[in-house]
Structure formats: C-alpha cells, structure tokens
Amino acid sequence: PGGFPPFVWRWAYHLQIASLTLLHANDKLLLPNSSLSLPILWWKALLRDDSVSSWAFDILPGSSRWIVKFFKPLFPPLHHANIELRTAFLDTRTTALAENAHASGQRVRLVVLGAGYDLRALRFLNKGVVDEAVELDLESVVQAKSALLSSKRFQQRRPNCKLPQSFSADLNNMTSTDATLCQNLNSNNNRNDDGVSGKNNVYTIFLMEGILVHLERGSGPKILRLLRSFVSQKGHSSSGCLVFADWIEGVKDRKLDLAQIALKEAGGALDGIAA
C-alpha cells in the first residue's frame, strides 16, 4: 500500500524503531522480548479502525501516547497499512468462525499463541465475539503482561474490562506446549455453562500473527501438527481450527501451492485464503 519507493519504507522503519527507545524510556511496564511486537503495537494504534486502535492506544505509556493522536491524521500509509490489512483478515475470519460456532450451539474459545502485545483476545472477549479467551507466551511475558493489564495505566481507561486467561508456554518446546494445552484447555472442553457434559461443546480457534517466522527452525511445522492433533484428538475434526497470518517454513515467494502442501503434511488444509 502507499506506492512509496523502497528507500522510504526502509527510512520510515528505522526511524520508527529508533523512536521507540525514547517513547518507552520510562516505561516500567515494558514487556520483555518485545523488540518485534512493540513496533506492531504502535502501528496498530495508528489504524483507522478505532475499535482496534483504541485498545492499542490504551496500553501505551501515558507520557508518550499523545503522539499517536497528533500524528495519526498525518501519517502516510506505510507499515501500519500492512498491519491494517492483516488485522482486517484475521478479525473478519475469526468473527465469521465464531458466529458459525455460536449458531450451532457451541461455546467459542480463542487461543492466541505468542500473544505478546496482541490485544485481540481482550477485544473479542469484551465484544462478546468469543466466550473465553486464552493467551500463551513465555513465562516472563505472561507475568509482565498481567502486570500491564492490571496496572493503573490500563485500568483507568478500561475499568471492569474482562481479561483473558494467560498460561506460559515455550512454542519451541512441543512437549511443554502440548502439556500446557492439555492441562488448561481439555478440562473445560466438554462442559456447558451449567456444568453438564456436552460432547464437542467448545469450538477452539487458535490464532497466530507473525509468530512462526520467529521460532527456531523446525518448530513451525511441529506447532501446526500439534494444533491439528489437539483439535481432532476427540474424533471431531470440526471442533476447532487455526487462523493465522504468518510465514510457513519451506514456502518460498508466498506460493500458494507450497503452502497447501505444507499444511496438508501437518494434517490440515488451507481455507479462507488472503494473498
């Protein structure tokens, strides 16, 4: 988007990354390991859709968030325009899946892997799109984000906000991730609101945004197989799905046929495609 030459994109990116040091100079609630997710948080705060950007705005440091309101009308459509397209795809697809599951009488659970500064679980939980929201990330990130969401900074702007459940998981460690999923998700999979057993009552939507590309080599395909196994382990292939905007290991030049092969090897199939 934007039609800008490559040097403008490079200049804008490096300028924005450099500015983050100043914008978070006194931020005691900064998440660890956030060098990649922090720029995306600011780009999301610049989005035209206030139902998305306002959430990002609300967790920015009070001393520097004002800059968003000042620059938002003037900011050219560069990196945040790409984020806007990605956000629209993920939100639209997730909402449609949730509506279909609700129409069939199922509860809907959203599980965001490698959540970091992603606030989709918060947004969808508080809008009623999903009935339950879960975030998985490294233990240090989970603890820091919990402190951020319970902080005065955020609570003053979002009082009585419903918060997602958070569990620690190293997505490079399949044994640890599998144990986290089984321990924290399976126990609630077959209960209705009144506690009565209901076979395949919960429809689980796993979501990843720009996570696979940052995992250790070989972890991406393993994660895909693990999620497929979790969704289908009770013998119901329609009990959940994966929604993602990400890089798939072994797929070059965004070739659709290679992506379809990679997902088929993981036991899944590609649907709801956005080029």
Side-chain angles (χ1 to χ4, degrees):
F4 296 99
F7 80 88
V8 174
W9 286 81
R10 289 193 296 270
W11 176 83
Y13 178 79
H14 290 300
L15 178 62
Q16 291 172 71
I17 296 303
S19 68
L20 292 178
T21 301
L22 294 175
L23 294 172
H24 289 268
N26 299 311
D27 186 6
K28 296 180 180 180
L29 296 171
L30 182 67
L31 299 192
N33 304 304
S34 61
S35 60
L36 298 172
S37 62
L38 190 58
I40 296 175
L41 173 66
W42 281 87
W43 291 332
K44 286 184 176 179
L46 291 169
L47 300 187
R48 290 171 293 179
D49 185 351
D50 288 336
S51 67
V52 177
S53 61
S54 62
W55 286 91
F57 181 84
D58 288 344
I59 67 168
L60 294 174
S63 59
S64 56
R65 67 161 69 102
W66 62 268
I67 201 170
V68 171
K69 287 189 174 182
F70 181 80
F71 279 106
K72 189 173 181 176
L74 309 173
F75 215 80
L78 289 163
H79 297 86
H80 73 288
N82 281 335
I83 298 299
E84 191 164 39
L85 294 173
R86 196 165 80 182
T87 299
F89 168 72
L90 291 171
D91 286 5
T92 300
R93 189 63 180 157
T94 302
T95 299
L97 289 165
E99 289 176 348
N100 289 339
H102 280 143
S104 66
Q106 292 176 294
R107 286 175 53 81
V108 178
R109 172 172 55 205
L110 176 65
V111 180
V112 181
L113 289 86
Y117 275 115
D118 191 315
L119 301 174
R120 191 168 280 105
L122 270 168
R123 290 196 287 112
F124 281 10
L125 184 61
N126 284 276
K127 286 173 62 178
V129 175
V130 301
D131 304 291
E132 179 185 350
V134 176
E135 295 185 339
L136 300 183
D137 214 317
L138 296 171
E139 177 66 26
S140 59
V141 177
V142 167
Q143 292 181 358
K145 189 170 184 179
S146 176
L148 174 59
L149 295 181
S150 61
S151 68
K152 183 178 180 181
R153 174 204 299 182
F154 180 74
Q155 288 296 323
Q156 280 187 332
R157 301 188 66 86
R158 298 281 178 173
N160 304 315
C161 174
K162 297 179 183 178
L163 301 181
Q165 295 177 281
S166 299
F167 303 112
S168 61
D170 180 355
L171 299 181
N172 287 308
N173 186 324
M174 297 306 112
T175 302
S176 167
T177 303
D178 186 29
T180 298
L181 291 175
C182 291
Q183 180 180 351
N184 297 294
L185 302 188
N186 271 346
S187 60
N188 295 323
N189 244 14
N190 295 316
R191 288 206 304 267
N192 292 315
D193 287 334
D194 56 5
V196 178
S197 177
K199 196 173 185 180
N200 199 29
N201 186 55
V202 178
Y203 187 86
T204 301
I205 302 174
F206 291 102
L207 188 142
M208 293 189 296
E209 181 180 7
I211 298 300
L212 295 178
V213 66
H214 302 301
L215 297 181
E216 296 174 0
R217 187 169 183 81
S219 293
K222 292 178 182 178
I223 279 287
L224 295 176
R225 287 192 291 271
L226 176 62
L227 297 182
R228 174 60 180 175
S229 174
F230 181 85
V231 165
S232 61
Q233 64 182 316
K234 294 177 293 303
H236 297 277
S237 61
S238 62
S239 61
C241 67
L242 167 66
V243 179
F244 68 104
D246 221 316
W247 170 83
I248 302 176
E249 190 172 317
V251 178
K252 297 181 179 179
D253 302 322
R254 300 180 181 178
K255 290 185 177 180
L256 181 58
D257 57 338
L258 295 179
Q260 290 173 323
I261 292 172
L263 285 173
K264 186 176 181 179
E265 290 176 348
L270 200 58
D271 187 21
I273 301 164

